[in-house]
Amino acid sequence: MKKTMWGQRLPALLLALVLCLSLLPTAALADEGDFTIENGVLIKYNGPGGAVVIPDGVTKIGESAFLGCKDITSVTIPDGVTEIGRSAFNYCPNMTNVTIPDSVTEIGWRAFYNCQNLVEVTIPRGVTRIGDEIFDSCTRLKSVTIPHGVTEIGSWAFGHTASLTSVTIPDSVTKIKDSFWGSGLTEITIPGSIRTIPSNAFNACDKLTKIEIQEGVTTIERDAFSMVKPTFVVFPASLASVNHPFDFRLDASYFYMGTKAQWAQVNVGSTPNSGTVPARVVIMCKDGETKWYQRLADDPVCTSHTYNSGVVTKEPTLTTTGTKTYTCTVCGQTKTESIPRLTCTHSYDNGVVTKQPTATAEGVKTFTCTSCGQTKTESIPKLGCTNHTYNSGVVTKQPTVTAEGVKTFTCTNCGQTKTESIPKLEAPKSNFTDVPRWFAAEVSWAEANGITEGYGNGKFGTNDPCTNAQILTFLWRAAKKPEAKAKSPFTVQSYYQGAVDWAYGEGMIDGSFDPKDSCTRSSAMVYIWQAFGKQSAPASSFVDVPANASYAAAVNWGVANGVTEGFGNNDFQPGKVCSRGEIAAFLYRAYN
C-alpha cells in the first residue's frame, strides 16, 4: 500500500510532541515529604520535628506554616527566602535556634511569638522594619543582633523577653514604639537617631538601671520608662522636653550633657509638684569639659510641695491626740495638722474619702469616713428597690446566667435581685472559611447582627491585626449606624467614613486619631467603654495598669462586665495589638 505524506510524518510529530511536553514545568504543587510547597511558598510543615532544614527553592514561608509545631528544636532557612509570613513559627515552644538568611527582607506579625525556648537570633541585613510582636513572649531569648539598616522597631517586638538583658539599637533606627515592654534589659543606650522616646517604650523593664540617651534625642514622653527606677541616667544636651519618664530616685546619678543655662530651658513641667524632675533631685550639668555642679542646693525647709495629693504626699498618719501627719514623698519632710475630734466635717459620697457602705438586715447602710473613722447611717428601702440601677458594675454585680434562659442581677446596695430573660437560640453558623472553632460563636454573632462583613472573599481575617477604623466600624454598626453629630477631619475609605465621623461626633476620638494604626488592648477597652456610656467600675488588680493611666477606668469596666480577663500572670498587656478575632470576642461579651 502506498504511504501518504502524513503517514510518513506522523511518528516524527508524535516524538516531537513528547519531547516538548517533557520540557514543560512540573505541576506547581509539590509535596516534598515533610513540606507542602506551592509556587515556591512553603504552605505547611507536616514533619516529625527535631532539627528542620527547609529545602532549597522555597522563596516564602507562608502564614502559620509552622504554627504550634511543638516538636521542632531548630530551623534552618535557605538562602533565597525573601519573606517569613504572619505567625509562621508562632508557638513553637521547643525551638531553641533559627538561622535566617540575609535574603529575607520581611518578617510578618507574630512570626516567632511565644517561642519560649528561642535563645539567640540574628535579624537579616535586608530587613528594615522589625514588626509588631515578632519576638513577644520569647522568655528565654538572650541575644538579639539588630543590623544597621533597620529603621523601625514595632509594638511589643521584644515584649516579655525576661532573659534579654542587653540589646544594641543601631543608629539607623529612627522610630520605636512600646517595643521592649516587660523585657529583662539591665542597661540601654538609645541612639540620637530616635528623636522621640515614646510612652511605654520600656514599660515594666524593672531590672533596667542604666540608661544612656545620646545626642539627637529631643523628647522623652510620659511613662517611657514606667515602673523603671534607674540608678544611672545620661541626658543629652539636645533634650527639649522630659515628661515624667520614670520614677526619679534621690540616690541615683543623673547627668545632663549641656550647661546649667541649657538645662534651665528644658521643659520639665510648670510647677515643682506637677513637673517631672522633683526639686530635690540632683542634676549634674557639664560646664565646659570637666566641671560638674549640682542644679539645686539642699533647701532646709520644704516650702514648694503640697500636702494634699496621694502622688506627692503619703496618706496622713492619724494619731489619738487629734493630729494627722503628712510625709512629702519628694523630700521626706513632714507636716502636721489638727483633725476634728468631735464632729466629722468630711463628705460621705466619695469612695476616696469614704469606705463603701455596709448594708445591714435592719434596712440601714453604714458609711465609715476614712479620714477620721466616724460613721454615718442612712436608711435603705426594704420593700422595693426603686432608686438603684441595674446597669453599672459599681452599683450592681454582674448578672448570674442560668441554664433556664434567665440572668439574675443583684443590687450591691440593698441585696435585692432582678431577673431578665436571655435568648436561648444559638448564633447561626458563620459563612467565613477562616474562623477557628475558638472564635466561631463570637464571629458568627457579629456576622448575624451585621457588625462585620469580612473581606468579601469568604474570609474574616481572624488573625489579622484590627485597625482603629475597623473597631469603630464594628461599634457603629452595632449601634445601628447612627448619624454623626459632626464631620471628622479624617478622610478614610468610604465604608469607614460614617463610623469615624460618628466616633468623632461622640467625642470618642480627637485630632490625634490614626485610623490605620493597629488597635491595642487598651484602645479597644476605651472605645467599647465609651460606646457603653463610660460607666464606672471597681479598680482591677492588673500590675501593668497604673491607677492614673488614661485607659484604667475602661479596663476596670471591661473586667467588671466580663469583657476581658487579662492574662494568667495578672498582666493585662495594654499595648498588645488585637486581632480581628479578639475584637469580635470583646464585642460579643460586651453585648451579651
Side-chain angles (χ1 to χ4, degrees), residues 55 68 118 158-159 176 182 232 259 288 322 382 401 417 438 479 486 497 560 576:
L118 186 61
F158 299 99
I176 61 176
F232 181 91
T259 66
K382 298 185 67 175
V401 180
T417 59
W438 51 86
Q497 193 67 60
K576 186 173 181 294

Side-chain angles (χ1 to χ4, degrees), residues 11 23 56 71 76 85 131 213 224-225 234 295 301 314 316 322 330 398 412 441 478 533 586:
L23 295 175
D56 292 336
D71 296 323
T76 300
I213 304 170
F225 299 87
V234 177
R295 168 175 166 257
V301 179
K314 296 178 182 178
V330 175
Q398 281 296 106
T412 55
F586 287 156

Side-chain angles (χ1 to χ4, degrees), residues 498-582:
V500 173
D501 290 346
W502 165 72
Y504 184 79
E506 296 296 326
M508 297 168 65
I509 58 176
D510 56 22
S512 63
F513 174 73
D514 184 353
K516 296 181 180 179
D517 204 3
S518 297
C519 180
T520 62
R521 286 171 57 81
S522 59
S523 296
M525 286 301 104
V526 170
Y527 290 142
I528 300 172
W529 173 64
Q530 290 174 320
F532 275 76
K534 298 183 179 180
Q535 301 172 15
S536 57
S540 62
S541 60
F542 294 127
V543 297
D544 57 352
V545 179
N548 61 348
S550 59
Y551 51 81
V555 173
N556 295 342
W557 173 84
V559 173
N561 287 274
V563 179
T564 183
E565 298 177 350
F567 294 83
N569 56 357
N570 207 28
D571 284 348
F572 176 69
Q573 299 186 12
K576 186 173 181 294
V577 174
C578 292
S579 67
R580 286 166 57 87
E582 290 168 335

